[in-house]
């Protein structure tokens, strides 16, 4: 009986991502944290790296995207969550075409995942599904997104239902069942956005 319980408990831990926050402060500048993967949907040359920044909400390091690409992403590839949450603090600091920051969930690979992004040039938040490299929006809301300022973006996801919270305010409730099952979580930008990220949190529910 004890052995059976131990096996069940081990299985629970393997299948569950306990809540965790990553602040990048123990990572060497110029590198990515262990277990993370950076890339791009479409084309381009994104540049993801941990850098020092004296404005970081939790000093002193942040994760920065400073290259260019269609849709650059950086995910914690060793995590698989079907239902849970993902949250990050982000700061858009430059970009003529876009100044965007977002979170990714149910990431299967670089061409298939959900994303919610905030854009400081458009002053809106939008949820997208990316399937076979094609991105399509299915819910959006207008909100002031200030450049050169830290914001907090969170998505809670359970089954086909998603709740988006921006700077502590619930702003979107949406449903979509295009991508199911577990997947990685991470962060996202667009085009020439130069964006900083800190205090990345995630967990299962």
């Amino acid at each position: 009986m004890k052995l059976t319980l131990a096996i069940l408990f081990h299985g629970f831990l393997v299948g569950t991502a306990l809540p965790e926050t990553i602040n990048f402060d123990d990572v060497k500048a110029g590198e990515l944290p262990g277990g993370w993967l950076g890339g791009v949907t479409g084309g381009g040359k994104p540049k993801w790296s941990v850098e020092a920044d004296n404005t970081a909400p939790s000093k002193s390091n942040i994760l920065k995207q400073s290259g260019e690409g269609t849709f650059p992403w950086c995910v914690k590839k060793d995590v698989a969550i079907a239902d849970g949450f993902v949250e990050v603090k982000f700061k858009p600091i430059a970009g003529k075409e876009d100044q965007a920051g977002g979170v990714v969930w149910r990431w299967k690979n670089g061409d298939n995942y959900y994303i919610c992004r905030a854009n400081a040039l458009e002053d809106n938040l939008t949820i997208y599904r990316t399937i076979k490299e094609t991105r399509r929006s299915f819910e959006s809301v207008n909100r002031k997104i200030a450049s050169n300022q830290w914001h907090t973006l969170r998505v809670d996801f359970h089954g086909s239902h998603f709740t988006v919270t921006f700077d502590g305010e619930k702003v979107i409730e949406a449903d979509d069942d295009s991508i199911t099952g577990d997947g990685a979580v991470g962060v996202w930008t667009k085009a020439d956005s130069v964006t900083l990220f800190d205090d990345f949190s995630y967990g299962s529910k």
Side-chain angles (χ1 to χ4, degrees):
M1 181 65 176
K2 289 183 178 179
L3 178 61
T4 301
L5 289 173
I7 292 172
L8 288 172
F9 183 66
H10 175 73
F12 172 78
L13 290 179
V14 169
T16 302
L18 299 176
E20 182 175 350
T21 298
I22 300 169
N23 57 27
F24 310 109
D25 293 337
D26 59 352
V27 181
K28 183 179 178 182
E31 298 182 356
L32 281 179
W36 286 71
L37 175 69
V40 61
T41 303
K45 293 183 178 180
K47 182 182 178 183
W48 292 97
S49 61
V50 170
E51 307 290 347
D53 186 275
N54 59 13
T55 72
S58 57
K59 296 184 170 31
S60 58
N61 288 352
I62 49 84
L63 176 64
K64 182 178 184 180
Q65 199 300 113
S66 55
E68 293 189 20
T70 310
F71 305 124
W73 46 259
C74 193
V75 298
K76 195 166 192 329
K77 63 179 180 178
D78 56 358
V79 168
I81 302 174
D83 298 317
F85 77 93
V86 58
E87 177 179 314
V88 76
K89 294 184 172 99
F90 74 97
K91 180 182 179 181
I93 61 174
K96 293 183 179 180
E97 183 178 344
D98 279 280
Q99 292 184 21
V103 290
V104 169
W105 68 100
R106 292 187 189 155
W107 185 93
K108 311 293 187 178
N109 53 51
D111 294 335
N112 298 275
Y113 54 87
Y114 282 113
I115 172 262
C116 179
R117 71 101 179 98
N119 193 318
L121 295 188
E122 298 178 4
D123 282 332
N124 60 30
L125 295 100
T126 305
I127 304 183
Y128 299 88
R129 56 180 173 266
T130 300
I131 298 178
K132 295 181 180 179
E133 199 177 324
T134 300
R135 186 189 68 150
R136 301 207 181 276
S137 65
F138 58 91
E139 196 67 52
S140 186
V141 63
N142 293 325
R143 282 295 184 281
K144 176 62 181 177
I145 317 290
S147 298
N148 291 298
Q149 181 175 313
W150 286 99
H151 303 279
T152 302
L153 178 62
R154 175 182 174 117
V155 176
D156 291 86
F157 48 98
H158 187 274
S160 62
H161 189 69
F162 312 130
T163 302
V164 178
T165 305
F166 178 71
D167 286 347
E169 178 188 2
K170 187 183 294 184
V171 293
I172 295 176
E173 296 270 1
D175 293 276
D176 187 81
D177 60 3
S178 302
I179 304 173
T180 59
D182 59 24
V185 291
V187 295
W188 181 101
T189 69
K190 182 186 175 190
D192 62 344
S193 302
V194 179
T195 308
L196 313 183
F197 299 91
D198 199 9
D199 296 343
F200 178 80
S201 302
Y202 63 89
S204 292
K205 289 185 177 178

